Amino acid sequence: LYLKTRRSGRGIEPVLTGRQKDIFQLISDSKEPVNQSVICEKLGLPKSSVSRNIDALVKKGLVEKHPAGMSTLLKPKKQE
């Protein structure tokens, strides 16, 4: 069962899968924006899986995509 959100004392928070946590951690720990190829290489995951999980992180408001030529750079979204 996949849950999209959960209630906590701080309101509703997104629930992440294991892969989403790994991808988000890698993006968050990087000093510079990261592209998908770096994530695939460092985590040993297929491009399709990384792409699907990045889209989920964007929808959950945790990651921002920024076009950079032929690729897209990813960085954590600043929380308000």
Side-chain angles (χ1 to χ4, degrees), residues 2-6 13-17 20-21 60:
Y2 177 77
L3 301 174
K4 292 186 179 180
T5 57
R6 72 170 172 224
E13 299 177 346
V15 175
L16 303 179
T17 65
Q20 290 169 358
K21 287 178 186 176
K60 292 176 183 187

Side-chain angles (χ1 to χ4, degrees), residues 13-16 20-21 24 27-28 53-65 74-79:
E13 299 177 346
V15 175
L16 303 179
Q20 290 169 358
K21 287 178 186 176
F24 183 69
I27 294 169
S28 296
N53 284 289
I54 287 170
D55 288 343
L57 291 170
V58 169
K59 285 181 184 176
K60 292 176 183 187
L62 298 173
V63 172
E64 295 178 339
K65 288 183 174 183
L74 305 158
K75 66 179 189 176
K77 188 171 184 179
K78 293 184 181 181
Q79 300 299 313

Side-chain angles (χ1 to χ4, degrees), residues 5-49:
T5 57
R6 72 170 172 224
R7 292 197 180 274
S8 73
R10 296 172 291 186
I12 296 178
E13 299 177 346
V15 175
L16 303 179
T17 65
R19 282 193 177 170
Q20 290 169 358
K21 287 178 186 176
D22 292 342
I23 292 168
F24 183 69
Q25 190 67 51
L26 191 140
I27 294 169
S28 296
D29 289 348
S30 178
K31 294 183 190 323
E32 300 290 325
V34 181
N35 69 27
Q36 183 174 325
S37 300
V38 170
I39 296 169
C40 293
E41 182 180 308
K42 289 193 176 188
L43 297 180
L45 297 172
K47 194 173 186 179
S48 60
S49 176

